[in-house]
Amino acid sequence: MPRTLDRIEPIHVLLNDFRAMADRHKARLDKYLDADGDIADGAEGDYRTRELGLACEAHTWLKKAMATLTDCIALPDGQQVTVLGQHQEPFMVTTGQLDDAARDVFRYGQCHALARALATETGWPMAVLVSAECRPDPDLCTTFKVTGGVCGCQLEHVIVIRPEDGAHIDITGAHAPGTMPDYEDQQAIPMDDDELWEFITGSPAWRRPALDVALTFVTPLLASLPPTAGSLPAAASS
């Protein structure tokens, strides 16, 4: 059911913020216009400089607006949407439909979005699996260690951990620690605060998280999980 029925107030606040911003931006640009609404002679440079600054403010507001809308309005199941995966490859997925296309994009490119969605809905903690060494490509290495002495290039796959048994959860299901397919024996570093999340979402090596789409897969994925890690095979398969 759409969340707007219970969470309409944040949208009203958002619209009020937009009106105030739009009025403020118009007032700041109006002083560079003549009576006909055209940019006044000699004011082109100042107008464009101010316009660029206001555009940056609008961009920041837009990101906040989309986060608010994502929180308040759930995408319906059965809607076809395009999501960017690894190497910016576009994937067509159907919301709420746990199929091969969804497994591909949320395993390779949007694992962080699914983990965030699961953590949001269940309260389970997120973690990131890390490779033992830096990658050969120096362009992916960060100039500082993002956590626990780990370079940003070592961050491989974001998951959630089911607290009652420690199972590692991603789009392919529940896996015993150390048996995540393609990431076997990799260390799981807890994402206890937003520092790692902010690094990942700001890094050019990671895609913008399609959180609104990921949220539609939480219910079917949870329904597909085995109840405890004790029922998982020693070497889980996807």
Side-chain angles (χ1 to χ4, degrees), residues 42-180:
E44 176 78 23
D46 290 339
Y47 180 92
R48 296 306 177 193
T49 298
R50 177 55 63 90
E51 185 180 43
L52 181 60
L54 297 180
C56 291
E57 182 184 354
H59 176 69
T60 299
W61 179 89
L62 179 60
K63 290 195 294 184
K64 174 185 174 183
M66 293 311 298
T68 298
L69 293 176
T70 296
D71 185 52
C72 294
I73 306 174
L75 282 175
D77 288 345
Q79 179 173 326
Q80 287 194 326
V81 295
T82 300
V83 179
L84 290 184
Q86 205 169 42
H87 308 304
Q88 307 298 329
E89 181 181 358
F91 286 81
M92 180 68 73
V93 299
T94 303
T95 52
Q97 185 171 308
L98 197 57
D99 55 15
D100 288 343
R103 292 185 183 93
D104 283 344
V105 73
F106 287 110
R107 185 158 177 76
Y108 303 111
Q110 288 287 341
C111 61
H112 55 318
L114 184 75
R116 187 73 168 193
L118 280 167
T120 298
E121 295 297 297
T122 66
W124 296 348
M126 291 194 298
V128 59
L129 302 180
V130 300
S131 60
E133 299 178 352
C134 286
R135 300 178 185 179
D137 187 353
D139 292 337
L140 297 177
C141 290
T142 52
T143 56
F144 63 96
K145 304 305 181 185
V146 294
T147 182
V150 172
C151 177
C153 75
Q154 294 175 259
L155 306 181
E156 294 275 359
H157 190 56
V158 184
I159 60 170
V160 295
I161 297 178
R162 189 164 55 187
E164 57 264 33
D165 58 8
H168 289 184
I169 312 292
D170 76 349
I171 191 65
T172 64
H175 307 274
T179 66
M180 181 71 68

